């Protein structure tokens, strides 16, 4: 029996998301989520999508799950109940989403003790994410020490940015001493979506230049030339760039000094303000785009202003990345907002006919789970909507590595 299954784990600070995929046909066998780990109200949701357990459907378990070790053991038990446990000879690897790979990790990597130590050393660059990623790896290794564990890094796809793009214009010695540079995030999504866009256009990925707009609660843009990232909006951290659900995106760095000197804010208070209390939430009190759109439609001034700021920043990045690429074949929207909020796509593309971007209003208004073009037939540049699939991308990269 050929081992062709990959278990994808995305370990957060108090959650574990997972999917089991069979790479023989790229099918999804099971998916689930453990949330509120460490609380009395922990919740596990498991959905078998194929095999003997599929007929029974979704299962939910409520009650305390003490830590990530208990969470992954519970996940393993649910998979085993469907005949797809971690001891299955069909399991080829576990693929782990790791947020920050620094400059060391620019491709998927089989995890050993040395690699795990290096991922741990990157925690100062991603203090909210890498610790949980490390915990997930440690627990998974303890459950199946013989199984290849593969780290797939959010930053890796953007490691191809030219040095003059990745560097900030600050003192070079200071930048080197503290690893200060632009890394970019959402890389697995940008990689998947840029290739899927090329397929949608019926062209080899090497021949396609695309601007990818990953718009969820976190949001980022990338300029991808022939399958290679040459620019992205997020930087040292996921704070830089677009207006997001709770993050400010681009601000004058002197705002930080002003808040400290004039407002008496501490570093932690400023960090919390810009990451958790800004963006759409800070401007109008809601970080859910659906609610922002509803309120704006009813004439709410704060929601209308937040939406206008959000869209204006999108337009700026589309224009800037068109200049960076020189030739643009497509602008592609993805993730929760990008895939579902037709009003965002309409507003972002409106007025960009000089760049060759014109929407088909009827096609744009249709909601679909399929990859599709929503541009006018005579538009010089395609506008696409491509549902992202980060789990499939992680599984694809992990499986390719372990089967080389």
């Amino acid at each position: 029996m050929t081992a062709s299954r990959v278990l994808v784990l995305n370990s957060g600070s108090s959650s574990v998301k997972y999917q089991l995929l069979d790479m023989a046909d790229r099918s999804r066998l099971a998916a689930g989520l453990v949330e509120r780990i460490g609380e009395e109200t922990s919740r596990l949701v498991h959905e078998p999508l194929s095999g003997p357990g599929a007929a029974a459907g979704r299962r939910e378990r409520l009650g305390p799950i003490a830590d990530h070790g208990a969470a992954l053991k519970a996940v393993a038990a649910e998979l085993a109940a469907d005949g797809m446990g971690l001891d299955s000879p069909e399991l080829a690897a576990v693929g782990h989403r790791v947020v920050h790979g620094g400059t060391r990790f620019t491709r998927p990597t089989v995890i050993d003790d040395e690699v795990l130590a290096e991922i741990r050393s990157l925690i100062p660059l991603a203090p909210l994410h890498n610790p949980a990623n490390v915990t997930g790896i440690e627990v998974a290794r303890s459950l199946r020490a013989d199984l290849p564990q593969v780290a797939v890094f959010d930053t890796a796809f953007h490691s191809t940015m030219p040095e003059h793009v990745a560097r900030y214009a600050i003192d070079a010695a200071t930048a080197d001493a503290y690893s200060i540079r632009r890394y970019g995030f959402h890389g697995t999504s940008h990689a998947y979506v840029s290739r899927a866009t090329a397929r949608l256009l019926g062209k080899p990925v090497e021949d396609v230049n695309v601007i990818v707009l990953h718009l969820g609660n976190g949001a980022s843009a990338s300029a991808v030339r022939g399958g290679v990232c040459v620019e992205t909006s997020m930087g040292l951290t996921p704070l830089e760039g677009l207006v997001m659900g709770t993050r400010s995106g681009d601000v004058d760095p002197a705002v930080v000094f002003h808040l400290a000197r004039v407002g008496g804010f501490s570093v932690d208070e400023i960090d919390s303000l810009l990451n958790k209390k800004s963006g759409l939430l800070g401007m109008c009190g809601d970080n859910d785009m659906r609610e922002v759109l509803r309120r704006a439609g009813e004439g709410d001034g704060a929601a209308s202003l937040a939406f206008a700021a959000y869209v204006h920043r999108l337009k700026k990045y589309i224009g800037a990345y068109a200049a960076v690429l020189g030739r643009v074949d497509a602008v592609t929207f993805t993730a929760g907002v990008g895939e579902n909020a037709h009003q965002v796509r309409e507003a972002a593309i409106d007025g960009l006919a000089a760049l060759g971007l014109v929407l088909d209003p009827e096609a744009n208004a249709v909601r679909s789970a399929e990859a599709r073009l929503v541009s006018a037939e005579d538009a010089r540049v395609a506008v696409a909507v491509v549902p992202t699939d980060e789990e499939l991308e992680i599984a694809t990269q992990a499986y390719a590595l372990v089967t080389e």
Side-chain angles (χ1 to χ4, degrees):
M1 181 183 297
T2 302
S4 59
R5 294 177 179 175
V6 177
L7 176 63
V8 175
L9 295 178
N10 182 352
S11 299
S13 58
S14 61
S15 67
V16 175
K17 297 178 183 177
Y18 64 95
Q19 287 193 16
L20 180 66
L21 299 98
D22 192 333
M23 301 313 296
D25 57 4
R26 297 164 67 89
S27 62
R28 231 169 294 268
L29 305 178
L33 165 69
V34 186
E35 59 183 352
R36 299 192 291 272
I37 295 171
E39 301 180 20
E40 291 296 315
T41 57
S42 302
R43 174 173 174 258
L44 186 155
V45 177
H46 175 80
E47 186 172 9
L49 302 171
S50 181
R58 184 174 178 270
R59 304 194 292 269
E60 185 171 334
R61 166 183 159 182
L62 300 173
I65 296 177
D67 52 30
H68 282 72
L72 284 182
K73 288 175 182 175
V75 170
E78 294 293 339
L79 291 169
D82 298 324
M84 298 183 290
L86 295 188
D87 59 350
S88 169
E90 296 177 79
L91 192 59
V94 178
H96 296 268
R97 179 200 181 208
V98 179
V99 167
H100 215 304
T103 56
R104 162 70 171 81
F105 299 108
T106 60
R107 62 193 64 193
T109 304
V110 175
I111 301 166
D112 56 20
D113 291 342
E114 179 183 349
V115 168
L116 184 57
E118 292 203 44
I119 294 172
R120 194 179 286 112
S121 75
L122 294 168
I123 285 174
L125 291 175
L128 298 180
H129 298 94
N130 271 35
N133 302 155
V134 166
T135 299
I137 292 167
E138 290 173 334
V139 173
R141 291 180 80 199
S142 72
L143 294 177
R144 274 295 302 271
D146 61 310
L147 192 67
Q149 312 273 332
V150 178
V152 178
F153 299 90
D154 269 14
T155 51
F157 181 65
H158 305 301
S159 65
T160 54
M161 286 190 293
E163 191 69 3
H164 67 274
V165 176
R167 283 278 189 171
Y168 289 109
I170 66 172
D171 173 69
T174 301
D176 291 342
Y178 298 100
S179 302
I180 298 172
R181 60 188 290 117
R182 302 183 64 245
Y183 294 99
F185 299 89
H186 296 145
T188 52
S189 177
H190 287 278
Y192 176 85
V193 170
S194 57
R195 290 200 307 272
T197 300
R199 290 195 298 270
L200 186 64
L201 297 180
K203 298 180 179 180
V205 67
E206 296 81 8
D207 295 341
V208 173
N209 291 355
V210 58
I211 298 170
V212 178
L213 302 172
H214 176 108
L215 308 180
N217 192 49
S220 60
S222 67
V224 184
R225 178 182 291 124
V228 176
C229 178
V230 295
E231 170 68 287
T232 192
S233 58
M234 287 179 168
L236 174 72
T237 76
L239 181 58
E240 187 179 357
L242 303 175
V243 174
M244 306 178 219
T246 67
R247 299 184 191 125
S248 63
D250 295 335
V251 295
D252 181 345
V255 168
V256 174
F257 315 142
H258 181 77
L259 289 173
R261 291 168 181 159
V262 179
F265 283 61
S266 69
V267 170
D268 288 343
E269 287 172 333
I270 297 171
D271 189 316
S272 177
L273 172 71
L274 296 180
N275 277 291
K276 299 178 181 179
K277 301 175 183 178
S278 295
L280 295 174
L281 180 68
M283 293 189 74
C284 73
D286 274 306
N287 66 308
D288 187 322
M289 180 58 77
R290 292 167 295 191
E291 188 63 15
V292 174
L293 287 168
R294 183 192 66 77
R295 288 173 51 191
E298 294 174 354
D300 185 297
S304 297
L305 179 62
F307 180 73
Y310 184 97
V311 169
H312 177 72
R313 191 76 57 83
L314 276 177
K315 284 180 182 287
K316 282 179 64 176
Y317 270 88
I318 292 170
Y321 286 0
V324 167
L325 289 171
R327 187 199 83 242
V328 179
D329 298 298
V331 173
T332 301
F333 292 82
T334 192
V337 174
E339 294 168 27
N340 298 307
H342 66 88
Q343 304 96 322
V344 169
R345 298 192 297 266
E346 179 181 1
I349 298 300
D350 183 47
L352 300 183
L355 298 180
L357 292 160
V358 181
L359 281 181
D360 177 332
E362 292 185 7
N364 184 53
V366 173
R367 188 161 180 169
S368 171
E370 300 298 318
R372 60 202 186 276
L373 295 178
V374 295
S375 43
E377 286 190 11
D378 58 349
R380 296 199 318 273
V381 178
V383 180
V385 181
V386 174
T388 191
D389 197 332
E390 294 176 85
E391 290 80 12
L392 177 58
E393 180 67 20
I394 291 170
T396 299
Q397 292 189 29
Y399 188 67
L401 181 61
V402 301
T403 55
E404 282 179 353

